[in-house]
Amino acid sequence: MKRINERVNIRAVQIRMLVAYVLLSFFSIYTISTLIINFSSDVLANKVSNLISANCQQIELNTNNYLNTVETITTLLFADEKYYKYNPVKDEYDEYTRIKNDEAIADRIADLGLMQNFSDFAVVYSNGNRVGWTSNTTAALFDAEELYKELNWIFEEDLIEEASVLK
């Protein structure tokens, strides 16, 4: 009987030790996993926010660089009076003068536009005429007169904003 009790006691101790080992293992694994997950989520959140911030700054720099380039190219295009004073809508020009002026503007646009590889680079007049080139996407979005109206609306909005700032 004593031997059976000793075996039962040994068996009970073994079961207690096994349960304690399992509980201790689960507790240890849970604690270590929680620490690792919390630490890695903090590091990951920090890295992601840094990457997003760097990406936003790069987008801003790229946009500013592009807009500066467009401004420079536009300034070069309209550096000569004959490019910005010419208006083919006026009746004061004969057909030959219109063609020659359009050719001169088109050549200037080609010279400047090819340097920066623009997909749309044109002068749009109120009668719907364009000198330069527009991409197929732009041509599909706007017919000749709608493009002028859209660009004129944007320009008028800018002038209104500038006028309200000056007041």
Side-chain angles (χ1 to χ4, degrees), residues 92-112:
E92 65 189 53
Y93 298 107
D94 62 348
E95 192 63 30
Y96 178 77
T97 306
R98 282 192 182 114
I99 291 171
K100 285 299 181 187
N101 284 335
D102 285 347
E103 285 177 358
I105 292 172
D107 289 343
R108 184 70 172 152
I109 286 174
D111 290 343
L112 296 173

Side-chain angles (χ1 to χ4, degrees), residues 5 9 12 14 20 24 44 46 62 71 74 97 106 120 139 141 152 161-162 165:
N5 281 341
N9 286 341
Q14 285 178 339
L24 185 62
L44 185 63
N46 213 1
N62 289 349
E71 183 180 11
T74 306
T97 306
D120 290 312
L141 288 173
N152 192 39
E161 288 177 14
E162 286 179 22
V165 169

Side-chain angles (χ1 to χ4, degrees), residues 46-115:
N46 213 1
K47 293 292 183 188
V48 167
S49 66
N50 288 341
L51 287 172
I52 289 173
S53 174
N55 188 34
C56 289
Q57 289 174 349
Q58 188 62 46
I59 289 172
E60 180 183 2
L61 289 173
N62 289 349
T63 303
N64 287 339
N65 185 33
Y66 175 75
L67 292 176
N68 285 336
T69 302
V70 168
E71 183 180 11
T72 302
I73 296 297
T74 306
T75 303
L76 287 172
L77 176 64
F78 292 106
D80 190 357
E81 277 187 12
K82 69 179 179 182
Y83 298 125
Y84 64 84
K85 287 200 173 188
Y86 169 69
N87 185 356
V89 179
K90 293 181 180 177
D91 291 331
E92 65 189 53
Y93 298 107
D94 62 348
E95 192 63 30
Y96 178 77
T97 306
R98 282 192 182 114
I99 291 171
K100 285 299 181 187
N101 284 335
D102 285 347
E103 285 177 358
I105 292 172
D107 289 343
R108 184 70 172 152
I109 286 174
D111 290 343
L112 296 173
L114 290 176
M115 287 190 316

Side-chain angles (χ1 to χ4, degrees), residues 119-120 130 133-144 146-147:
S119 59
D120 290 312
R130 298 178 204 166
W133 66 85
T134 54
S135 65
N136 290 336
T137 304
T138 304
L141 288 173
F142 303 100
D143 69 4
E146 284 181 20
L147 182 59

